[in-house]
Amino acid sequence: NNDNNKVWNIKIKDLSFKEQEQEQEDDDNNNNTNTNSNDSNIGSSSTEEEECNVKSFIFKSKILVCADGAASTTARSLGIVTTAPSSFGSRRFASPKTHQFPPHADHVVFYPKTFLPGFIVTYRLIEDYLNISKYYISPSTSSYNDSIYLQTYLGPNTLLTKEKFAELRIGGEEKTFGEAVIVIGEAAGQVDPLTGGGIHYGMSAAKIGSEVIIEAIKTKCF
């Protein structure tokens, strides 16, 4: 290519209509779900294959940055990342005035022995909503039941949204670059290996990656 650009054909699945259906389902279930229920299902993970629209985009660039999350769909399709995500996390929300979360607590971290090295974090949000996140650091704990924790610390009448799951890539990838390609953030497993947290690591990786890209453009070495 005379302008030194590479041509990329990217296919993107449009899940927006599925997300709208899920939001409606959550609204319908919200008034019927409490801490006595035990219907959490790992099989409901958002990573399942679903019918959706697939859109193709063709564009030209000097460098492709793969920063598409733990699934690493783009980097895996290029053969740079060769492994599947190693674990997953989940999130659900508790409605205000239905829980017994300590009134002066900002957040609480809970480490159940049978869930280690995983953990549960409850954050207080605006208007007294709660964000309840679980980090399944070890896949062997995927069947862990958090109902005892919820009943003990939040109360038996807490109204909860449906638990949603997302993948985690923990441990870092051996190779995070290719010809005119760089992999950044969770797509490269650049997260805390003990907690699965990736926001600050992703920001640091993005800063370092941007410096590498600037140098590559200056030297015309991709």
Side-chain angles (χ1 to χ4, degrees), residues 183-196:
V183 189
I184 292 292
E186 290 191 43
Q190 294 164 344
V191 303
D192 189 321
L194 298 179
T195 67

Side-chain angles (χ1 to χ4, degrees), residues 75-94:
R76 290 173 71 184
S77 68
L78 295 172
I80 298 174
V81 173
T82 59
T83 60
S86 56
S87 192
F88 56 93
S90 72
R91 173 179 294 175
R92 63 200 312 186
F93 297 94

Side-chain angles (χ1 to χ4, degrees), residues 26 30 91-96 123 125 129-133 158-164:
D26 288 344
N30 189 44
R91 173 179 294 175
R92 63 200 312 186
F93 297 94
S95 299
Y123 301 93
L125 304 177
Y129 281 91
L130 299 181
N131 173 1
I132 304 166
S133 298
T158 304
L159 293 180
L160 299 169
T161 60
K162 185 176 180 179
E163 191 171 16
K164 295 184 178 181

Side-chain angles (χ1 to χ4, degrees), residues 117-192:
F119 58 98
I120 304 171
V121 186
T122 301
Y123 301 93
R124 187 185 303 279
L125 304 177
I126 189 172
E127 297 180 348
D128 206 34
Y129 281 91
L130 299 181
N131 173 1
I132 304 166
S133 298
K134 288 195 295 185
Y135 293 83
Y136 297 79
I137 305 301
S138 171
S140 64
T141 61
S142 61
S143 61
Y144 175 75
N145 185 342
D146 64 0
S147 60
I148 295 178
Y149 160 75
L150 295 176
Q151 290 179 25
T152 302
Y153 291 93
L154 301 184
N157 299 316
T158 304
L159 293 180
L160 299 169
T161 60
K162 185 176 180 179
E163 191 171 16
K164 295 184 178 181
F165 298 85
E167 296 163 317
L168 296 175
R169 182 176 292 277
I170 298 175
E173 293 298 321
E174 182 176 352
K175 185 177 181 182
T176 57
F177 64 92
E179 183 180 353
V181 180
I182 187 170
V183 189
I184 292 292
E186 290 191 43
Q190 294 164 344
V191 303
D192 189 321

Side-chain angles (χ1 to χ4, degrees), residues 20-82:
Q20 292 172 3
E21 290 180 357
Q22 184 64 61
E23 289 175 359
Q24 182 61 51
E25 181 181 341
D26 288 344
D27 290 339
D28 294 340
N29 291 337
N30 189 44
N31 293 328
N32 300 318
T33 305
N34 57 42
T35 54
N36 290 320
S37 66
N38 183 25
D39 59 355
S40 298
N41 183 2
I42 303 302
S44 65
S45 169
S46 60
T47 62
E48 288 183 342
E49 288 295 326
E50 301 179 76
E51 292 183 4
C52 56
N53 298 322
V54 178
K55 299 180 180 180
S56 293
F57 298 88
I58 298 178
F59 62 95
K60 295 191 297 183
S61 68
K62 289 182 170 59
I63 296 177
L64 175 65
V65 178
C66 300
D68 52 352
S72 302
T73 304
T74 307
R76 290 173 71 184
S77 68
L78 295 172
I80 298 174
V81 173
T82 59

